[in-house]
Amino acid sequence: MMRRPPIPGLVMADGWLQPYSRQIRDRQRLFDLKMKRIHQRAGSLEEYARGYRYYGFNRDAETGAWTYREWAPAARRVSLIGDFNGWNRESHPLERNERGVWEITLPPDALAHGQKVKVHVVGADGTGKDRIPAWITRAVQDPSTYDFAGEIWMPEHPYEWWNNGFDPSRVEVPFVYEAHVGMGGEEGRVHTYREFADEVLPRIASLGYNTVQLMAIQEHPYYGSFGYHVSSFFAPSSRFGEPEDLKYLIDQAHGLGIAVLLDVVHSHAVKNEAEGLNNFDGSGGMYFLPGERGRHPDWDSCCFDYGRDEVLEFLLSNVRWWLEEFRFDGFRFDGVTSMLYFHRGHEPFGDLGAYFGSSVDLDAVAYLQLAATLIQRVKPGAIAIAEDMSGMPGLCRPVDEGGIGFSHRLAMGIPDYWIKLLKEKKDEEWSMGDMWHTLTNRRYGEPHVAYCESHDQALVGDKTLAFRLMDAEMYWKMAVDQQSLIIDRGMALHKMIRLVTLATGGKAG
């Protein structure tokens, strides 16, 4: 392991962190230890994050033979089922190795593009269940039964990129347009990747945005979760089209000079066993923390066990998959506060000690450090935004300093502030001091993405700022030949709120 200075750079830059030097060094030591284990196993972090070339379905370049592998250490029996064998649970058993990985090799003509597949797992509890392979790159839902299944995706003609060489480092100040492909169109239906690429992207470019952040890309069984209950982490949602259509979208964006970020969900996973990873081998945990710590109290979902090597390999490989296979230019990591603390953000952060106590999940800190390091090694200059409500010191400082390594932090407190202000205060009660403090309250040297509203308010149980300001009056008094003090006030305040937030709230918008 590398020798580090006795005083971390994070402490050198901020003397208030001096009482927590030991904890910061402990984090560095844990990161170094995990990196050492990774190098011993795979030779490098980059190679370690190519697990998708080992797990799941892969073809031998010379013979064309298929190999399917699945990690299920406590399972009693595993077999591959699908269209290719009439869904026979006995005909194609897998063999287990000493690491708890099950494997089967099939001849070149055994599987074909478009065939549906699942894996039948007899778990540690003796129960047999048909599951979707964890590393599947495409999952589809039957329109009549609503059952999800994996799908072999090996098109004869792979997508050919034409906008090569896009460099995300050219985006010095991200101006981010957050979007949901399915809701991106005008009609009351689920829209597609190609519709978004052809009809929405040109409008985004014309408005001056240089970055698009896409929600709900990773496959999820419940559309109403807005993509935050992920089931198949390597599969782009089939609701919006085929994987090649998503590549087309990203290619089109690059042609317009726009970077594309994936709203990646590594903070938790859907608890559904029929579609997701929960209780995959019948042991009750596996990918997730055992017991109550593995159950999220607010989201009705499962919390990852970042201390297991196989989980690290799964999540880090997922990061590299989206960067390489689909050429995303970075990520917004959802729910980072929930990842960092065992209390999932339910305890106050009244002093610096709250960021360095026993409630911090050090394995999660190490995972985020590894992910941030991997992102820059695979795609230098990529954007990595952390959605953190807690204000963890060093979140956007280099790992070598004792930080976590993100490029930006999403300033979630700002939209919360504006909604609270509009709901609880009259205009004449607004405090300029409170406003200035909220908009500028960030750690020096840690860039923030700031905007006055968020999908957390607009989509989940609240209203947009425009509706808060004007509400039903927008339906009846927005014509140019009509007069309304409510509309006049609302339009004026909306413009001023946006202006002051973008001007003072951070180094990205």
Side-chain angles (χ1 to χ4, degrees):
M1 290 187 289
M2 64 181 295
R3 294 179 61 87
R4 296 196 178 275
I7 302 177
L10 204 58
V11 177
M12 296 289 288
D14 183 356
W16 289 100
L17 296 176
Q18 196 279 330
Y20 310 102
S21 292
R22 179 181 59 80
Q23 289 91 332
I24 295 171
R25 288 197 302 271
D26 287 345
R27 294 182 185 185
Q28 289 182 307
R29 279 193 283 269
L30 180 59
F31 170 82
D32 291 340
L33 178 63
K34 288 181 181 287
M35 188 68 85
K36 180 180 179 181
R37 289 215 307 262
I38 286 170
H39 276 257
Q40 289 173 341
R41 179 170 167 183
S44 69
L45 177 62
E46 297 91 307
E47 284 301 313
Y48 186 74
R50 280 198 171 117
Y52 46 82
R53 293 188 176 181
Y54 178 78
Y55 293 100
F57 293 89
N58 288 282
R59 296 195 78 175
D60 187 285
E62 295 181 1
T63 68
W66 294 86
T67 300
Y68 167 62
R69 297 185 182 94
E70 195 75 67
W71 176 58
R76 298 182 184 180
R77 184 166 60 85
V78 177
S79 57
L80 186 62
I81 59 176
D83 292 339
F84 76 101
N85 68 355
W87 300 89
N88 186 329
R89 297 188 179 110
E90 307 296 331
S91 62
H92 289 79
L94 279 66
E95 294 185 1
R96 185 188 188 280
N97 68 16
E98 69 281 356
R99 292 176 49 224
V101 177
W102 297 78
E103 177 180 326
I104 188 173
T105 299
L106 302 170
D109 60 352
L111 299 173
H113 174 69
Q115 286 184 334
K116 308 299 187 294
V117 291
K118 286 190 178 185
V119 58
H120 183 72
V121 180
V122 178
D125 55 4
T127 303
K129 295 178 181 178
D130 297 341
R131 309 296 299 260
I132 296 178
W135 296 72
I136 200 74
T137 58
R138 181 166 167 82
V140 294
Q141 188 176 31
D142 187 290
S144 57
T145 66
Y146 303 109
D147 180 46
F148 274 88
E151 186 173 41
I152 299 297
W153 199 256
M154 195 74 64
E156 184 178 352
H157 302 291
Y159 183 82
E160 293 186 13
W161 299 84
W162 66 84
N163 287 306
N164 296 299
F166 181 85
D167 183 3
S169 67
R170 292 183 298 185
V171 181
E172 296 182 4
V173 180
F175 190 28
V176 184
Y177 186 100
E178 183 184 55
H180 184 292
V181 169
M183 296 188 290
E186 297 290 338
E187 301 173 27
R189 60 177 174 83
V190 177
H191 293 77
T192 68
Y193 296 122
R194 285 191 174 264
E195 288 174 324
F196 189 91
D198 294 336
E199 300 168 16
V200 183
L201 279 178
R203 296 171 62 185
I204 293 172
S206 69
L207 292 170
Y209 290 93
N210 58 23
T211 307
V212 169
Q213 175 188 309
L214 295 180
M215 301 167 60
I217 296 299
Q218 294 172 292
E219 190 60 85
H220 47 289
Y222 178 45
Y223 188 65
S225 75
F226 303 107
Y228 292 112
H229 275 188
V230 175
S231 51
S232 295
F233 284 77
F234 289 82
S237 180
S238 58
R239 290 182 179 89
F240 314 134
E242 298 179 351
E244 285 67 32
D245 298 331
L246 175 58
K247 293 177 182 180
Y248 173 79
L249 186 163
I250 295 169
D251 215 356
Q252 288 288 92
H254 289 168
L256 294 168
I258 296 174
V260 187
L261 308 183
L262 173 67
D263 195 347
V264 71
V265 185
H266 284 180
S267 48
H268 64 130
V270 71
K271 71 176 185 180
N272 303 23
E273 294 187 12
E275 297 92 2
L277 304 174
N278 187 21
N279 196 30
F280 198 91
D281 65 353
S283 65
M286 203 174 124
Y287 283 99
F288 308 111
L289 289 166
E292 284 303 307
R293 277 191 169 177
R295 301 290 176 264
H296 201 287
D298 304 314
W299 301 340
D300 194 28
S301 55
C302 300
C303 302
F304 283 104
D305 184 350
Y306 303 103
R308 294 195 77 159
D309 290 344
E310 294 84 358
V311 175
L312 279 183
E313 185 178 19
F314 181 82
L315 295 175
L316 290 170
S317 297
N318 193 235
V319 167
R320 180 158 196 172
W321 170 256
W322 293 109
L323 290 174
E324 288 206 328
E325 182 68 18
F326 291 92
R327 300 194 180 183
F328 277 95
D329 302 295
F331 304 92
R332 188 205 79 140
F333 275 71
D334 172 70
V336 166
T337 304
S338 176
M339 298 172 73
L340 289 172
Y341 310 96
F342 288 119
H343 57 66
R344 311 300 172 203
H346 279 274
E347 294 180 8
F349 300 94
D351 56 62
L352 287 173
Y355 302 113
F356 300 99
S358 59
S359 63
V360 177
D361 185 345
L362 295 179
D363 286 317
V365 173
Y367 164 65
L368 291 171
Q369 290 174 319
L370 289 166
T373 302
L374 174 69
I375 290 167
Q376 295 306 321
R377 289 189 183 180
V378 173
K379 183 165 285 193
I383 301 165
I385 303 170
E387 185 207 24
D388 172 44
M389 285 288 292
S390 75
M392 169 66 79
L395 187 71
C396 302
R397 297 302 303 168
V399 174
D400 286 345
E401 291 183 6
I404 296 180
F406 283 92
S407 63
H408 298 78
R409 175 176 173 262
L410 186 61
M412 292 292 292
I414 290 176
D416 285 346
Y417 168 79
W418 286 120
I419 287 289
K420 184 178 176 65
L421 187 68
L422 291 174
K423 288 167 71 171
E424 299 180 1
K425 301 284 186 181
K426 299 177 182 178
D427 296 1
E428 60 269 25
E429 294 175 340
W430 291 16
S431 167
M432 295 298 105
D434 287 347
M435 189 183 302
W436 176 259
H437 173 75
T438 300
L439 291 172
T440 61
N441 182 23
R442 57 185 178 273
R443 297 187 62 81
Y444 177 77
E446 299 199 31
H448 281 48
V449 177
Y451 191 56
C452 54
E453 54 190 338
S454 160
H455 69 252
D456 284 344
Q457 287 86 20
L459 295 179
V460 187
D462 214 310
K463 301 178 180 180
T464 64
L465 285 183
F467 266 101
R468 275 283 161 206
L469 289 163
M470 296 172 281
D471 212 44
E473 195 83 350
M474 287 194 293
Y475 292 112
W476 316 112
K477 298 291 185 179
M478 289 290 280
V480 293
D481 60 347
Q482 293 176 321
Q483 294 295 315
S484 169
L485 289 176
I486 292 175
I487 296 296
D488 291 345
R489 168 187 175 270
M491 295 291 287
L493 283 178
H494 202 280
K495 291 176 181 178
M496 288 192 287
I497 288 170
R498 283 183 287 149
L499 175 62
V500 71
T501 301
L502 289 171
T504 63
K507 294 185 178 180

